[in-house]
Amino acid sequence: MRLGVNIDHIATLRNARGGIEPDLKEAAKIALKEDIFGLTMHLREDRRHIKEKDLYDIKALGAKINLEMAAVDEIQKIALDLIPNSVCVVPERRLEVTTEGGLDVSIQKEHLKNFIAPIKQKGILVSLFIDANIEQIEASKYVGADYIELHTGSFSNAFLRGDYQKEFDELKKASSYAQKIGLKVNAGHGLNYQNVYLMKEIPGLLELNIGHSIISRAVFCGFQDAIRQMIELIK
Ligand code: PXP
């Protein structure tokens, strides 16, 4: 299991003052020295954190980029030009604080199939960010995704409440079924230094994409240490 570091919130902090600090490229350089799978960045339609230029700057550092994006033409065009290592299609609502639920793949199967076809043609791996739900997994397979990323938000909230078994079992079941039908499985959202150890009990998970918790810890101990501590926990 490898760590994908989501650096969106370094950009959030930078954008708070509209200047250049903290420098996203410097953050990327620090992260890339560690044993991580790559960097995850979400180019939102409202550009509330990273901007197009950040993607190109960070690609130029040789980073493996996992680009989170809504299934809209504007961002697809950027993905086709940037050629990240992978894209992860996420639902996007402008007023949400963060990605609040999984993508409803089954309701837009034909749209998504057409949407991801040119992305796959460019050799970019495609992941779909979905809830732990069999119908969504089957629809993801149908549209041609290489990966699913299981939304761990409900599990993380349940963990905070102290009663997470149901959500955890759903993740396990979903992961196992997805692998059985030939999908690779990642997970992310709301994972932190307290709950992440449980991901090791889900066989076959490949990547964990984690942002908020790492950036929060970095405020106290530095970005390098925060990444190292997380890697240690998922090894
Ligand atoms: N994976 C996806 C698809 C996401 O949208 C997010 C949030 O941007 C994450 C992982 C990371 O979530 P968190 O910041 O809670 O670690």
Side-chain angles (χ1 to χ4, degrees), residues 6 8 68 88 90 98-99 129 149 188-191 209-212:
N6 183 316
D8 289 342
E68 291 178 1
C88 179
V90 303
T98 179
T99 316
F129 188 48
E149 178 169 328
H189 207 284
L191 296 176
N209 287 307
I210 308 180
H212 188 80

Side-chain angles (χ1 to χ4, degrees), residues 2-233:
R2 306 280 308 276
L3 175 65
V5 180
N6 183 316
I7 55 173
D8 289 342
H9 294 310
I10 294 178
T12 307
L13 191 56
R14 175 195 64 191
N15 300 349
R17 282 288 177 96
I20 56 164
E21 281 184 331
D23 184 337
L24 209 60
K25 289 199 292 287
E26 286 310 310
K29 284 183 198 162
I30 291 169
L32 290 169
K33 284 193 194 130
E34 303 307 314
D35 183 20
I36 62 168
F37 182 76
L39 297 172
T40 293
M41 302 162 83
H42 185 175
L43 186 66
R44 280 185 170 265
E45 288 179 84
D46 63 10
R47 307 295 195 270
R48 72 173 73 154
H49 27 65
I50 66 146
K51 322 274 182 207
E52 281 95 316
K53 185 174 180 310
D54 295 321
L55 287 168
Y56 289 93
D57 284 351
I58 282 164
K59 172 120 192 261
L61 298 174
K64 238 185 207 173
I65 295 178
N66 173 40
L67 173 63
E68 291 178 1
M69 57 184 276
V72 295
D73 292 346
E74 184 217 352
I75 312 283
Q76 184 202 50
K77 214 168 132 211
I78 295 167
L80 294 175
D81 182 64
L82 177 78
I83 322 264
N85 179 66
S86 58
V87 301
C88 179
V89 183
V90 303
E92 207 171 284
R93 285 180 292 274
R94 285 195 179 236
L95 295 180
E96 69 189 357
V97 175
T98 179
T99 316
E100 277 158 12
L103 188 68
D104 192 343
V105 183
S106 73
I107 211 170
Q108 47 175 338
K109 277 199 287 212
E110 299 311 322
H111 167 62
L112 283 172
K113 196 173 178 191
N114 294 329
F115 182 81
I116 69 177
I119 300 177
K120 287 183 60 139
Q121 257 168 28
K122 289 262 190 182
I124 303 166
L125 296 167
V126 174
S127 177
L128 302 177
F129 188 48
I130 60 170
D131 290 323
N133 172 297
I134 300 297
E135 187 189 345
Q136 298 300 337
I137 294 168
E138 286 177 342
S140 301
K141 179 72 182 169
Y142 171 82
V143 306
D146 303 289
Y147 288 77
I148 55 165
E149 178 169 328
L150 289 173
H151 195 311
T152 47
S154 303
F155 156 76
S156 301
N157 289 337
F159 186 90
L160 272 180
R161 292 195 306 268
D163 177 20
Y164 58 81
Q165 200 57 48
K166 176 174 159 284
E167 287 78 4
F168 184 58
D169 289 344
E170 282 167 5
L171 287 173
K172 260 184 160 165
K173 201 170 110 197
S175 172
S176 150
Y177 184 70
Q179 291 176 60
K180 204 167 92 194
I181 64 170
L183 289 163
K184 298 193 179 91
V185 186
N186 299 333
H189 207 284
L191 296 176
N192 60 31
Y193 295 86
Q194 287 72 45
N195 64 25
V196 78
Y197 76 96
L198 283 161
M199 295 299 109
K200 291 196 285 196
E201 292 178 22
I202 302 180
L205 275 190
L206 294 173
E207 290 157 39
L208 300 180
N209 287 307
I210 308 180
H212 188 80
S213 185
I214 293 176
I215 307 304
S216 302
R217 183 160 292 205
V219 171
F220 300 110
C221 70
F223 194 36
Q224 182 190 57
D225 253 26
I227 293 171
R228 286 185 180 176
Q229 288 174 32
M230 189 57 86
I231 291 172
E232 213 37 55
L233 290 171

